[in-house]
Amino acid sequence: MNDAGDVTRFVIPGEEGYSDFWRRDKSPIESVELVKLLVAIRKLSTFIGRNVGEIVWSGMELDNALALDPTPIMGTYPVPAGKTDLMVGIMVQEAYKRVEWSERLREMLRQRVQPPTQYEYKFDMFFSVCESVYVDGLANTSVLGYYAEVARDWRIVKTLKSLIKPPTLSEMLHLWWRLAAHRDPELYKHGHSDLTLGGLVMRGSLDQYYRKPMETMNSIVPALRDDCPALPSVSDRCDFRLDLYENLWREVLGHIRFWPGDRSDRFMMPDMGDDDELAQEEAEQAAVKATIVNYANLIEAALPQKNRDFTDQIKGNVANFENVARVEGNDIVMLARNRVDRQLLHKLEQVVRNATDRRSVFNRGLSSGKIHSRRLYRAHTTGAVFQQKKHEFDMRKNVVLLVDATGSMADPTQWDQAEMIYQTLFTAILEYAPNARLFAYNEVRNACRITEIYRGGRMLTVLPHGRTASGEAIIATAMNTRIPGKKTLLVHITDGASNWGCGVADALKYCKGNSISLLTLGVSCSLSAKQSLRDEYGSLVKFVDKSEQLPKLFGELIVSEMRESRTSQQ
């Protein structure tokens, strides 16, 4: 509850999960909830890598997409946090396998070891678990490891519940997976006897079967968790694992040659009598797939469009097109803390007001106010002979703020000051330009990301990161915020010159040719950064060393912009 005693959240016992702390956009309607969850999963996948590709539910038709089976989460809506954690964990594991070329590696290893037909099922099982240990180790380097752990435990418990009499390769591998991929990097050294089988009744001592093969499997754990991830390229990491798995397979095969893989290993278990159970599982999966197929069009229509790529548009508007950095839209944001300085806001409102157009608005036929002589004839009937005169102030321009959120802004003190300046300035502008927009740009995975950070009346923020592609950011923002028949005022807030991409000269040329007034505010700039910005922007840049200077400096920029506008009109 909040301070007023109002209920703000409902806690459902047994449905707790990590995702309960961040997932708020939910729905009790099945098709809508599947869309909302898929959007959340797609956003999280961007933290794994660019090669993950599109993510869809199984049953949705999209070539080369990563298809997730929604069977574990269906039936309760909104999806509980615990099940959301599970689906996020499955996505994390499968996404890392894509980024690390797991399927390609499987075929390379198969060609190298050429397992006999009777061992092909065991080979696939061996490879899958080895890769699962590897990708879980990658996830453990970040918070994503908590979600991978949920998916790992779910897969292991599900497998161990359907065990046959030991020894089986499946049981040994899954016990090893639980130890080798644990977030405690030393746990695997203690052996499997320290763990229970997820609540299952122990079926005799497993040491006699699994001790030696698990010791053999343990020999690759340090290499999988530490040495392989340290290699610089994906191909190097694939070659490393290829040699590692090849040697391990030949050694482990000597221990498990006569073991069945599991109840589905038809070479060792020709008839387990479980056809009814398998048929029931396949029927459940088919029913879920049919549901998704029915919802496919609804889901596709409701999904937001993929982040837009502006690179080709920018290349067509610059001379230095061969150096243009990749530019794309972004919608991954965080709520920003309120940094508005009220005293500074009042002063800025006065400055912005001086740059507006004033018009008088009359409200006539009132019962009180100032007498309107032309309506005195109503005095004997209605008495509505008064009027009110109001002055309205409107910038009559399309106003856009663009904030540099690149790596040079990453110092917490500097970013706090930048947030205070742009939030206060934007709030003052909103008073007289209610359709004003606010954007930020940074670099993420070798792309300049443009993010709108004021939506629905809320201030948002991004993490400052990467190189500064000011030219591309200015052009992309100006190009996609233009309103036909209305001039644009673009205010750029930065702490230094562009150091990546096509540069600012082309951006200035584009703005001048498209009736876009570009003003730049330098915040917390060093002496060298100030000189670089003067070289780039000329008289259209002012430097804010202290927040108290902002009203005066912004007023000077506005006045110079108005003069240039009048000169160009003449």
Side-chain angles (χ1 to χ4, degrees):
M1 293 186 180
N2 59 19
D3 295 337
D6 299 324
V7 175
T8 58
R9 292 176 59 196
F10 291 93
V11 178
I12 304 176
E15 296 185 356
E16 301 86 354
Y18 305 119
S19 58
D20 189 44
F21 291 98
W22 54 264
R23 185 167 184 253
R24 293 287 181 266
D25 191 9
K26 306 176 184 179
S27 173
I29 302 172
E30 184 176 41
S31 59
V32 177
E33 174 68 346
L34 290 172
V35 170
K36 292 181 180 295
L37 180 56
L38 186 58
V39 169
I41 289 173
R42 286 181 175 182
K43 288 183 177 181
L44 288 174
S45 72
T46 62
F47 293 98
I48 295 176
R50 286 190 301 157
N51 298 329
V52 173
E54 200 72 83
I55 298 177
V56 299
W57 296 126
S58 298
M60 296 172 61
E61 295 182 4
L62 186 64
D63 293 338
N64 301 317
L66 174 56
L68 300 178
D69 180 9
T71 305
I73 63 166
M74 296 189 73
T76 302
Y77 309 101
V79 175
K83 289 187 176 181
T84 299
D85 290 353
L86 170 60
M87 192 51 59
V88 171
I90 292 173
M91 178 278 293
V92 168
Q93 292 174 327
E94 298 305 316
Y96 269 120
K97 288 177 183 178
R98 279 211 164 195
V99 170
E100 297 294 322
W101 299 355
S102 288
E103 285 308 309
R104 177 180 178 182
L105 179 61
R106 183 194 298 270
E107 296 309 313
M108 292 168 63
L109 183 61
R110 189 189 303 276
Q111 291 177 10
R112 183 177 289 190
V113 303
Q114 295 185 353
T117 304
Q118 65 270 31
Y119 299 137
E120 282 187 352
Y121 187 79
K122 294 188 182 71
F123 168 83
D124 283 330
M125 188 180 296
F126 163 84
F127 177 85
S128 296
V129 174
C130 286
E131 277 294 272
S132 295
V133 170
Y134 173 63
V135 299
D136 282 1
L138 296 178
N140 286 338
T141 60
S142 70
V143 69
L144 298 177
Y146 290 92
Y147 297 95
E149 180 180 43
V150 173
R152 178 171 65 251
D153 289 344
W154 176 78
R155 293 183 195 265
I156 291 173
V157 169
K158 182 180 178 183
T159 299
L160 296 182
K161 282 182 178 179
S162 60
L163 290 174
I164 58 177
K165 184 178 180 181
T168 64
L169 179 60
S170 175
E171 183 174 25
M172 188 273 290
L173 288 175
H174 282 78
L175 290 172
W176 175 69
W177 182 14
R178 172 177 283 173
L179 295 168
H182 199 275
R183 286 184 290 112
D184 178 358
E186 302 296 319
L187 186 63
Y188 75 96
K189 297 178 182 179
H190 301 312
H192 75 277
S193 58
D194 292 339
L195 295 178
T196 62
L197 294 183
L200 298 180
V201 178
M202 293 294 291
R203 290 161 299 126
S205 174
L206 300 179
D207 272 357
Q208 58 179 316
Y209 304 118
Y210 298 149
R211 183 174 58 82
K212 288 185 178 180
M214 286 185 71
E215 287 175 354
T216 303
M217 298 293 294
N218 283 341
S219 65
I220 71 166
V221 174
L224 275 185
R225 294 190 65 145
D226 302 319
D227 300 340
C228 188
L231 296 175
S233 69
V234 179
S235 59
D236 290 341
R237 295 194 291 273
C238 275
D239 291 339
F240 183 90
R241 301 202 309 281
L242 186 63
D243 294 336
L244 200 66
Y245 295 164
E246 180 186 9
N247 296 331
L248 183 65
W249 166 252
R250 300 188 192 283
E251 191 172 351
V252 168
L253 187 60
H255 296 294
I256 56 90
R257 187 183 302 273
F258 301 109
W259 294 4
D262 58 18
R263 65 176 64 241
S264 298
D265 186 352
R266 295 309 183 190
F267 278 93
M268 299 299 295
M269 308 296 296
D271 186 11
M272 286 296 297
D274 58 352
D275 290 342
D276 292 342
E277 183 178 334
L278 292 175
Q280 181 180 355
E281 185 175 343
E282 290 176 359
E284 291 175 356
Q285 293 178 347
V288 170
K289 184 175 181 179
T291 301
I292 298 298
V293 169
N294 290 335
Y295 286 150
N297 292 334
L298 291 173
I299 293 174
E300 289 289 353
L303 284 172
Q305 296 299 311
K306 191 177 179 182
N307 291 341
R308 185 176 174 186
D309 193 316
F310 304 114
T311 311
D312 290 337
Q313 276 184 292
I314 294 173
K315 285 183 177 180
N317 287 276
V318 300
N320 188 19
F321 63 87
E322 66 274 6
N323 291 325
V324 169
R326 186 161 60 89
V327 187
E328 56 187 36
N330 175 58
D331 61 357
I332 299 176
V333 292
M334 301 174 290
L335 283 174
R337 287 177 290 179
N338 184 3
R339 301 281 189 187
V340 176
D341 185 318
R342 291 295 166 186
Q343 186 175 0
L344 185 61
L345 175 63
H346 178 69
K347 295 178 181 179
L348 281 170
E349 285 177 342
Q350 296 298 319
V351 172
V352 176
R353 180 172 174 170
N354 292 335
T356 61
D357 295 328
R358 188 179 77 170
R359 62 190 178 116
S360 298
V361 178
F362 293 91
N363 191 4
R364 299 182 175 92
L366 303 177
S367 58
S368 63
K370 185 177 180 181
I371 292 178
H372 184 208
S373 58
R374 292 185 180 180
R375 296 183 180 261
L376 286 174
Y377 68 89
R378 293 184 176 180
H380 300 292
T381 56
T382 65
V385 296
F386 301 95
Q387 68 175 3
Q388 284 183 348
K389 180 181 179 180
K390 293 194 303 182
H391 297 299
E392 290 188 352
F393 299 89
D394 187 355
M395 291 197 74
R396 296 194 179 183
K397 288 184 178 179
N398 174 35
V399 185
V400 181
L401 261 66
L402 177 63
V403 182
D404 177 354
T406 55
S408 56
M409 285 280 199
D411 179 80
T413 302
Q414 188 165 341
W415 183 240
D416 286 348
Q417 184 186 18
E419 281 192 310
M420 184 275 292
I421 288 175
Y422 79 70
Q423 286 189 21
T424 306
L425 179 58
F426 186 72
T427 303
I429 290 173
L430 277 178
E431 185 70 23
Y432 303 101
N435 293 320
R437 299 176 72 181
L438 176 63
F439 293 85
Y441 66 96
N442 58 359
E443 182 204 352
V444 179
R445 296 189 180 89
N446 204 36
C448 177
R449 294 274 181 89
I450 311 293
T451 309
E452 188 160 11
I453 55 174
Y454 181 80
R455 304 179 201 165
R458 296 186 300 175
M459 288 286 183
L460 309 170
T461 189
V462 294
L463 290 176
H465 185 269
R467 295 169 288 178
T468 308
S470 298
E472 285 84 347
I474 291 170
I475 296 174
T477 304
M479 187 182 300
N480 292 279
T481 56
R482 292 178 61 194
I483 298 176
K486 202 170 188 179
K487 290 187 177 181
T488 296
L489 173 62
L490 178 57
V491 181
H492 178 215
I493 299 175
T494 184
D495 70 332
S498 174
N499 58 20
W500 181 39
C502 66
V504 171
D506 283 315
L508 295 174
K509 184 178 179 181
Y510 176 84
C511 290
K512 187 174 181 180
N514 290 275
S515 300
I516 298 168
S517 299
L518 175 64
L519 306 179
T520 300
L521 287 171
V523 178
S524 303
C525 299
S526 63
L527 291 176
S528 59
K530 287 181 179 179
Q531 187 56 50
S532 298
L533 287 171
R534 287 191 190 99
D535 294 339
E536 285 185 332
Y537 299 96
S539 63
L540 297 178
V541 61
K542 296 291 181 181
F543 300 103
V544 182
D545 296 318
K546 297 181 180 179
S547 59
E548 300 83 29
Q549 300 173 319
L550 182 58
K552 178 177 179 293
L553 294 174
F554 185 66
E556 291 175 357
L557 275 178
I558 288 286
V559 169
S560 64
E561 185 273 332
M562 292 172 67
R563 286 173 182 167
E564 289 196 8
S565 296
R566 293 191 189 103
T567 303
S568 63
Q569 288 175 1
Q570 293 174 358

